[in-house]
Amino acid sequence: MRRSKVPRSTTDQRLLDSRGSADWLHTDPWRVMRIQSEFVNGFGALAELGPAVSVFGSARTRPEAPEYALGEQVGRALVEAGFAVITGGGPGGMEAANKGALEAGGTSVGLGIELPFEAGLNEHVDLGVNFRYFFARKTMFVKYACGFIVLPGGFGTLDELFEAVTLVQTQKVTSFPIVLVGTGYWGGLLDWLRGTAAAAGTVSEKDLALLTLTDDPHEAVRIVVEAERAVAEQQALAEQRAATGHPE
């Protein structure tokens, strides 16, 4: 830096001067540090979680609704199959899955998000991490899960669903099962994808095969279990071939 670009104070001076404005807290460089801290906190909290499944669902689902009971059944069945349950930590369908997991004696994880209309994690979360940034939170949903189970939900659930499908479709993540629970709720969406999007050539039948639809929470969990078993068998076979010097 030369001439007028040379700063009138040093970096240390600006760092140590408490009399200046606190606007620097809201600048992009400082946000980068906050983003980094969210990834570090998430990785640290979940690194030893073990096999887990992310369950998505609406925050607006009422406790007396059939979808809430469905979420409880999903959470309970996942724990009985040996999985921890990861949700967004909020109310509604997320709370239901956390409740089912906790009551079944499993690990109930909530990845909360800072929103003006949601206050804190639901009471059934026993391992929680709060996030400011959606993209950091979404990374945790994918990185520490071996499958997704999707309960009826709104825009947030649709966002998480289609991001998961896109990551699998583009091979940005190892292929894992994505199960939609509720034929009456999700059937119309799949009909549109098949009858309109696939007919127009914007998605393929292979893409649609990434989604499985069921009404049975136990079938949803069975699909995840079978996919996880298949992955384990493939890994064991690859290790065996490597050990014998026959990689093909």
Side-chain angles (χ1 to χ4, degrees):
M1 292 180 286
R2 295 174 179 172
R3 294 177 288 278
S4 63
K5 298 302 181 183
V6 177
R8 298 183 180 223
S9 61
T10 66
T11 301
D12 281 340
Q13 180 185 357
R14 293 191 296 274
L15 172 66
L16 299 174
D17 188 356
S18 62
R19 295 168 295 178
S21 169
D23 289 346
W24 60 275
L25 281 169
H26 308 290
T27 62
D28 286 341
W30 182 248
R31 288 191 182 99
V32 170
M33 299 300 293
R34 282 182 168 173
I35 291 166
Q36 181 182 13
S37 72
E38 292 206 345
F39 281 107
V40 170
N41 288 339
F43 294 156
L46 303 176
E48 298 179 350
L49 181 61
V53 173
S54 290
V55 180
F56 302 131
S58 174
R60 300 180 182 182
T61 301
R62 305 297 302 170
E64 63 273 13
E67 293 80 7
Y68 191 96
L70 190 63
E72 290 184 88
Q73 294 173 42
V74 166
R76 187 175 300 110
L78 283 171
V79 168
E80 291 171 351
F83 296 100
V85 172
I86 304 173
T87 79
M94 295 174 282
E95 176 184 291
N98 285 134
K99 181 180 179 183
L102 190 64
E103 291 180 348
T107 300
S108 175
V109 180
L111 306 180
I113 186 69
E114 181 183 75
L115 293 174
F117 45 81
E118 285 187 22
L121 300 172
N122 70 69
E123 63 180 351
H124 304 289
V125 169
D126 56 8
L127 173 58
V129 184
N130 277 307
F131 294 86
R132 287 187 178 92
Y133 301 99
F134 269 115
F135 56 84
R137 179 186 186 231
K138 286 180 178 180
T139 299
M140 304 305 155
F141 279 134
V142 176
K143 180 173 175 57
Y144 293 103
C146 54
F148 287 167
I149 294 180
V150 188
L151 303 169
F155 286 142
T157 303
L158 288 167
D159 175 51
E160 291 155 346
L161 165 62
F162 281 111
E163 177 155 347
V165 175
T166 302
L167 290 173
V168 175
Q169 177 207 37
T170 56
Q171 299 182 19
K172 289 295 186 180
V173 296
T174 303
S175 180
F176 53 73
I178 303 169
V179 187
L180 306 177
V181 182
T183 56
Y185 191 87
W186 295 113
L189 173 63
L190 292 182
D191 289 343
W192 178 85
L193 287 171
R194 188 169 291 108
T196 301
T202 53
V203 301
S204 69
E205 286 297 327
K206 183 179 179 181
D207 297 331
L208 295 178
L210 298 174
L211 300 170
T212 304
L213 180 62
T214 182
D215 282 317
D216 185 353
H218 294 284
E219 181 183 4
V221 174
R222 178 183 58 77
I223 291 167
V224 174
V225 169
E226 290 179 353
E228 183 70 358
R229 184 181 298 124
V231 169
E233 290 174 354
Q234 290 174 0
Q235 290 176 340
L237 182 59
E239 291 172 359
Q240 181 181 15
R241 287 172 173 171
T244 57
H246 297 85
E248 297 299 329

